[in-house]
Amino acid sequence: MRQPLTETRLRELFEKMGAYGKGPGTVYVTGGATAVLFGWRSTTIDVDLKMDPEPSGVFEAIAQLKDEMQVNIELAAPDQFVPALPGWRERSRWIASQGEIDFYHYDFYGQALSKIERGLEKDWGDVEAMVQGGLVETKRLLELFGEVESKLVNYPAIDPGSFKAALIDFIHKHESD
C-alpha cells in the first residue's frame, strides 16, 4: 500500500529524482503536492507531475522511486484537463533545484481553473487558499479564462457553459466574503 505524502516526503522525492536523473529538465508539480507544500493540506495521496523539458532518466527514476518510497506518481497537469493558459511557464513558481532538475509549482491560474472545472469541494478549498494567499487574483483568473474559452471545444468532457458558470460562482462567492 502506498503511503501518504507529507512535505518532508515530497522534498525527499525531489531530492532522489534529482540524484537519479541523468540530465537537465524541469518538473512541474500540481494538485495535492502544491497544497501540501503550501500547507493547505498535511498530506496528499499522490504527486501529479508534468515534465517539460523531460529530464533524461527521470522515467526510470520514477519507476524505482514509486516502489522504494511507496508513493503514487501520476503524469498529470492542468493542461490535460483545460486549455494551457498563455504564459503558464513564466507564472510557474520555483520550488527547488536538485541535481540538474528544476522543480516548479505549475501555474496557479492553470491549477485554479482545472480545479474549478472539476468542482470537488477540496479543489474549491485549494483555489480559495490560492486567492487568500495572493497566488491568484480573481479578475486575472477570469481574464485568462476568456483567453482560452474558445479552445474548450478541444476538451469534449467539458461543458463550457457550466464551467464558466462555476468560475463566475466562485468569483462571486469570493467577492462576497
Side-chain angles (χ1 to χ4, degrees):
M1 172 142 172
R2 305 291 185 191
Q3 301 297 311
L5 287 160
T6 61
E7 179 180 355
T8 301
R9 291 192 72 223
L10 277 168
R11 292 192 184 277
E12 179 184 356
L13 175 66
F14 299 161
E15 185 179 319
K16 289 183 177 193
M17 285 176 70
Y20 294 159
K22 296 181 175 117
T26 305
V27 175
Y28 298 90
V29 300
T30 187
T34 288
V36 167
L37 290 170
F38 272 91
W40 308 327
R41 298 187 216 158
S42 59
T43 64
T44 186
I45 301 217
D46 56 24
V47 58
D48 296 331
L49 306 174
K50 175 183 180 78
M51 294 173 276
D52 185 20
E54 177 188 313
S56 177
V58 79
F59 281 109
E60 293 83 356
I62 288 172
Q64 181 175 341
L65 291 171
K66 283 176 73 168
D67 290 332
E68 178 183 320
M69 293 184 66
Q70 291 299 301
V71 299
N72 287 325
I73 301 172
E74 303 290 334
L75 300 178
D79 57 25
Q80 292 177 303
F81 306 102
V82 298
L85 300 176
W88 71 267
R89 283 180 187 83
E90 294 77 16
R91 285 188 306 274
S92 295
R93 184 180 284 185
W94 181 82
I95 300 168
S97 295
Q98 297 290 341
E100 296 183 73
I101 302 175
D102 294 316
F103 293 86
Y104 285 83
H105 291 283
Y106 189 98
D107 172 38
F108 298 112
Y109 287 94
Q111 288 195 53
L113 285 178
S114 69
K115 287 174 174 288
I116 289 170
E117 191 284 321
R118 189 161 70 168
L120 299 177
E121 189 173 321
K122 73 177 179 175
D123 289 333
W124 278 58
D126 289 346
V127 179
E128 184 63 34
M130 290 178 200
V131 171
Q132 293 298 323
L135 302 170
V136 168
E137 296 175 0
T138 56
K139 180 180 177 187
R140 183 68 178 135
L141 187 63
L142 188 58
E143 289 170 358
L144 287 167
F145 174 83
E147 290 185 36
V148 298
E149 188 173 9
S150 66
K151 296 178 183 176
L152 291 174
V153 69
N154 297 329
Y155 295 78
I158 296 176
D159 175 336
S162 296
F163 183 13
K164 187 171 188 174
L167 174 60
I168 290 170
D169 285 349
F170 174 83
I171 291 170
H172 284 142
K173 179 190 175 298
H174 175 72
E175 291 172 347
S176 66
D177 287 346

